[in-house]
Amino acid sequence: MSYVARGLFITLEGGEGSGKSTQAKKLLATIESLGHEVIVTREPGGSPGAEAIRSLLVTGDADRWDGMTEALLLFAARKDHVERTIRPALEAGRIVICDRFTDSTMAYQGYGHDLGRETVEKLNGLVLDGFEPDLTLILDMPPEEGLKRAVSRGGAEQRYEDMDVAFHHRLREGFLDITKRAPSRCRVIDAIGSEDEVASRLQEFVLPVIGSWYG
Ligand SMILES: Nc1ncnc2c1ncn2[C@@H]1O[C@H](COP(=O)(O)OP(=O)(O)OP(=O)(O)O)[C@@H](O)[C@H]1O
Ligand SMILES: [Mg+2]
């Protein structure tokens, strides 16, 4: 394989229960089987400090934080995650698959909670200084379907699932608007169908990109 200066940074985005974590694992296995070095990580979290912040975000009452406080916690976690986990892996030439990243903050706090896209963009510029994914896959489905999946999965981390359905619709529209504004980075993937069907839609798009990145 030829020398590559930097690995490929792929993010998976979308609403609650759209299959991000399921598909991250499947994509990891597929990419590994092709002989690439790849890691999966997630947000909020992905480094010890960021995982500690995660528990403040995903448990407790739905109105536990105001939008700005929540965005600051998310960016604090993200900064730690980027410096300690993501950037070192990319610098070693690895592919990094991240389950949620800045686009989730844009969708949830920017569009969902009315903090506004400009405020989230400003925070992003300040904290991450332009660092962004090379490729973002947005798993799209009606929010009611995703919430059904997430509820049947259960678990204690349900703070976002507890927000009202109108919020989840704003979230979906937010992700679609993010894609419109960054069409060369983002790709919307239909998340309805079996796990394998969705996985092959993702592969169809990602594998050629990996081929040309490491070609
Ligand atoms: N294509 C699919 N069809 C049916 N069920 C699915 C599919 N993909 C995932 N699931 C199931 O739906 C639930 C939610 O999936 P998953 O945890 O991957 O979603 P997620 O997008 O990571 O959710 P969250 O936003 O809450 O982290 C899980 O129980 C999972 O097993
Ligand atoms: Mg998940």
Side-chain angles (χ1 to χ4, degrees), residues 109-135:
Q109 280 66 47
Y111 292 83
H113 284 307
D114 290 336
L115 197 59
R117 58 169 300 115
E118 282 180 15
T119 303
V120 177
E121 261 165 17
K122 272 189 212 155
L123 288 172
N124 190 39
L126 183 71
V127 177
L128 293 191
D129 196 21
F131 179 80
E132 62 171 25
D134 300 301
L135 189 62

Side-chain angles (χ1 to χ4, degrees), residues 13-25 43 54 99-100 108 139 141 145-146 148-154 157 161 191-199:
E13 296 282 5
E16 308 291 314
S18 56
K20 298 175 294 298
S21 304
T22 303
Q23 295 299 332
K25 273 189 226 138
E43 290 211 342
R54 176 187 179 93
D99 181 347
R100 292 193 183 281
Y108 281 69
L139 293 175
M141 58 162 48
E145 296 300 315
K148 258 188 247 163
R149 286 185 187 174
V151 167
S152 66
R153 176 192 54 198
E157 295 188 342
E161 289 161 29
I192 293 285
S194 70
E195 289 181 13
D196 285 343
E197 280 166 346
V198 179

Side-chain angles (χ1 to χ4, degrees), residues 1 13 20 31 48 70-71 96 128 132 142 144 164 170 208:
M1 198 189 298
E13 296 282 5
K20 298 175 294 298
I31 294 174
E70 187 157 20
V96 174
L128 293 191
E132 62 171 25
E144 293 82 356
D164 63 33
R170 287 199 296 281

